[in-house]
Each structure stands twice: as structure tokens, then as C-alpha cells.
Amino acid sequence: MRNIFLVIRREYLVRVKKKSFLIMTLLGPLLFVAFYGVVIWVAVGSVDTKTVQVLDESGLFRNEFKDSETLKFAYLDSSIDSAKVKFKNSDANALVYIPKNVIKEPKSVRIYAAKNVSMDLKSEIEKVIEKEIENIKLEEAGITHKILEDSRVNVSSETISLSEEGEKTSSSGAATVIGGICAFLIYMSVFIYGTQVMRGITEEKTSRIVEVIISSVKPFQLMLGKIIGVALVGLTQFVLWILLTTALTSATSAVLSNQMSKESPEMAQEMEKVQKGMPGPSGMPGGNVENPVAEVLGAINSLNIPLILGCFLFYYLGGYLLYSALFGAVGAAVDNDADTQQFMLPITLPIIFSFVFAQFVLRDPDGTLAFWTSIIPFTSPIIMMVRIPFGVPAWEIALSMVLLVLGFMGTTWLAARIYRVGILMYGKKVSYRELAKWIFYK
């Protein structure tokens, strides 16, 4: 046991002290927050105000085009030929021509521009014209605008979970987002840190350093120490990323909120309501329920966060340990990275399949596919984390965890049988048949 701890300590300290680890640990959150900040800044402050000239021969749309922060409308009283000449000599971005027979021929509307118009501007103009034409036709049919508005109903349902503890408000939106994020993090960590184990073993084998290490440490102890050491490195990096990202995101949000309050006070008030979970116009927490982000933020407290965090930690470690043992066996069986490709496919396929299956599980978290893929050890780390935010019976979680532990023990035993022979095998092209022989060597 002491030797395993020594290997763990060595693997952990060697990787943590690397400049690449320190740089990526600090750079990762900075890049994420910078991306987050730039996207919001571009969305809020980069749209220029556009001027649109309107020539309405029908006279039906004189006051229908409303000015906004991004669009300014100017109405013209002239012929279309004269309007085109004036438009070329002006700073306007577009010229909208609405003919007299627009009611009978709605496709006769023309939008002129020096180069081209954006889809947003085109859609905004078409929407105003379509709405007014619809109102005119409805009035001709005896249906007023008030009757039409009264007939429109916005249904917003609240999901409630019935359990032994009683009724509890739930949110499918929040469950989908949290489950998807947890599954993606496990999916990426298995690939990133699993391949680190494989490459580390391959490097030590090709440099013959492993021959010196094996003289004082058993192959199984060396392999297990490497796997656990890299797992601790991954956990350390995840914890630091979470802490740094939370701190930087909070600071960035505060700066952007102050900037937004100066440029757009109404938008800042809505953002503040969403962050505080205050009732918005619809009466639901987080403001407008049509905004999925607001719904998720407003319903985040309905999730069992301690259970999700505990299960994430377990399935992160369980999934990593299960697959990293197989990655380690591959690293011990080959002499260079090029030879690993033939053995990588059978290992990576279950991970890829589970990530693909997760898309279907999100639609039906209690279905047959969801149940079996969350029980099988090779797919359970990702699929079960998708299901847990929706609510999973305790016996299913317990069964999945037990099978995952047994799966890890099985893959570790299998990998150790290959590792003990392959780690000292040089200059030989290994096949699947050869690996099968190594497993049953005494």
C-alpha cells in the first residue's frame, strides 16, 4: 500500500508542478469568462442604429413602423424614382417601397439597399406589414383587433414532483441543462485524463524508465498509482476551474450589469429580476417564462443539488477509473502512440455511444433505454448523470453504483493482467489475440 501511495504522490506532484498545468488551470477560466463577456458585450453594444426610409403609397402603414434603439424610420412623400435618387445620396441603410395594391399583392413590397439588408431587418419590416394586412382583413371580416387579442391565451404550466416527502416544484428545463452539463464534463474528463494515463505509461515504457521503477514496485501497484494520481490531478483542476470561474463570472456579471444599466435600464432591471428569482410579468420566478435561461435560473433551487454534486463526484471518479484502467493497458501494450489507434476504438465506442444516447435519454429519462444504459457500467457514468436531475429511484442509483464499482474492479484486473506482461515487452506488434494470451498467463 505504501508503494501505491508513493506512485500516487509522484504522479500528482509531477503533473501539478508542470507549467502547462498551471497555465491551463489559470487560462481556462479566463478564456471562458472572456468568451462569455465578449459575447454579451457584442450582443448588447455592437449593434448600430439603422435608418430606414419608408415610401408608403397605400397610406396604411404611416404610423405602424415604430422607432427602437436599433431602428429609426423616416417616411417619404414622393415617387419611387425620386425616392431611389434621394436614397442613394442619403445615409439611410434601406428604402422600403409599399405599393397601393399591397393588400391584394403582398409580395409586391420592395426593400432597396446599397449592398444588402440583414435577415433581422428584413424580418422586422415584413412582420410589421404582415400584421397590419392581417388586421385589415380581419376587420373586413368583422373581427376586431380586441377580439383577436382576447382569444389569444398564453398557457404556462408548473411541474410538480409527487414523492413520499410531499409535493415539490420541479423544472424540466433546469434538469435538462444540469444533466447535460454533468454528462459533458464526465465525457470530456474520461477522454482527457484517460489518454494522459495511456501516454504517460507509453512514454515511460519507450524511455525504459519503467524498468527501474518495476524493480521496486509491482506492475499492478504502478498502474493503480498512476490511475489514481492522474484522477487527483483532474479533480484538482476541476475544483480550481469551478472556483476561479465562479469568481470571475461574478465580477464580469457585475461589470456588465453596471454597463447595461447605463445603456439600457429596462434590460438591466429584467436581468436583476432573473438573478434574484423575482416574479416577472408572467408571475413566475425569473421573469419571462419564454426565456429558457430565466426559467433555469428561477427553478435551480428545485433541484437536489447535494445529491447531484455527490453523484457527479462518484460517477466522475467511477467512469474515469473504469476507462483509465483500459487506457493504461493499451499504453503498456504498445511502443508508440501510432500503435494505440487499433486498440482505442473498442474503448472509446462505449463513451461515444453513451454521449449520443444521452440526447435520447433527455427526451425520456424514465424509458427502457435510459434505465439499461444507466445501469451498464460502460455507459452509466454519463447516462445516470443525465437522469439524476429528473429524479431517479434510490435503488436504481444504488444498483448502478454497485455495478460501476464491480466494473472498475473487473477492468482493473483485466488491465493489470495485460500491464504486467506488456510493460516489459518491446519491439513486437501486438494483436488482440496476443492480448488474450497475456490475460491468461500465470
Side-chain angles (χ1 to χ4, degrees), residues 181-193:
I181 291 174
C182 291
F184 179 75
L185 290 176
I186 293 176
Y187 172 79
M188 292 301 297
S189 65
V190 169
F191 269 113
I192 294 173
Y193 299 111

Side-chain angles (χ1 to χ4, degrees), residues 354-368:
S354 60
F355 192 71
V356 173
F357 290 155
Q359 319 305 316
F360 301 99
V361 172
L362 284 171
R363 300 178 186 175
D364 186 12
D366 296 318
T368 304

Side-chain angles (χ1 to χ4, degrees), residues 48-121:
D48 298 328
T49 302
K50 292 180 172 58
T51 302
V52 179
Q53 295 178 349
V54 181
L55 176 58
D56 179 19
E57 291 184 348
S58 67
L60 301 172
F61 304 90
R62 170 63 66 171
N63 298 316
E64 298 304 322
F65 292 96
K66 307 296 182 182
D67 291 345
S68 64
E69 293 182 0
T70 57
L71 289 176
K72 301 294 181 183
F73 293 94
Y75 293 91
L76 304 178
D77 292 316
S78 62
S79 65
I80 182 61
D81 295 330
S82 175
K84 288 180 182 179
V85 174
K86 292 180 180 179
F87 172 73
K88 291 179 181 179
N89 299 324
S90 68
D91 295 329
N93 300 96
L95 168 64
V96 181
Y97 170 61
I98 306 174
K100 292 181 179 179
N101 60 341
V102 66
I103 301 295
K104 295 181 179 179
E105 297 182 14
K107 292 185 178 181
S108 60
V109 176
R110 297 288 182 267
I111 301 176
Y112 299 94
K115 294 181 180 179
N116 209 336
V117 294
S118 65
M119 287 298 298
D120 288 342
L121 178 58

Side-chain angles (χ1 to χ4, degrees), residues 159-174:
T159 56
I160 300 174
S161 175
L162 295 176
S163 62
E164 296 179 355
E165 300 174 356
E167 297 184 4
K168 183 180 180 181
T169 302
S170 62
S171 171
S172 57

Side-chain angles (χ1 to χ4, degrees), residues 193-265:
Y193 299 111
T195 51
Q196 281 190 21
V197 172
M198 182 183 67
R199 288 176 180 171
I201 292 173
T202 303
E203 289 174 4
E204 290 183 352
K205 179 181 176 180
T206 53
S207 63
R208 301 296 178 95
I209 295 176
V210 72
E211 295 180 4
V212 179
I213 300 175
I214 289 296
S215 63
S216 57
V217 180
K218 293 181 180 180
F220 176 76
Q221 295 174 335
L222 179 60
M223 185 191 72
L224 194 61
K226 279 184 172 295
I227 292 172
I228 298 175
V230 175
L232 293 177
V233 173
L235 278 177
T236 302
Q237 197 165 50
F238 264 126
V239 170
L240 291 175
W241 275 346
I242 291 171
L243 294 176
L244 291 173
T245 302
T246 301
L248 291 172
T249 303
S250 300
T252 305
S253 298
V255 173
L256 289 174
S257 297
N258 292 334
Q259 185 69 21
M260 196 179 296
S261 63
K262 296 178 182 178
E263 298 182 1
S264 180

Side-chain angles (χ1 to χ4, degrees), residues 380-426:
S380 63
I382 291 176
I383 303 300
M384 184 56 83
M385 281 313 306
V386 171
R387 295 185 62 202
I388 283 176
F390 290 93
V392 180
W395 70 269
E396 290 187 21
I397 298 176
L399 177 60
S400 176
M401 288 181 171
V402 170
L403 292 178
L404 183 58
V405 171
L406 293 176
F408 159 64
M409 294 172 63
T411 56
T412 303
W413 176 85
L414 186 69
R417 305 290 292 184
I418 297 173
Y419 187 91
R420 67 193 177 105
V421 179
I423 198 65
L424 296 175
M425 187 75 68
Y426 300 98

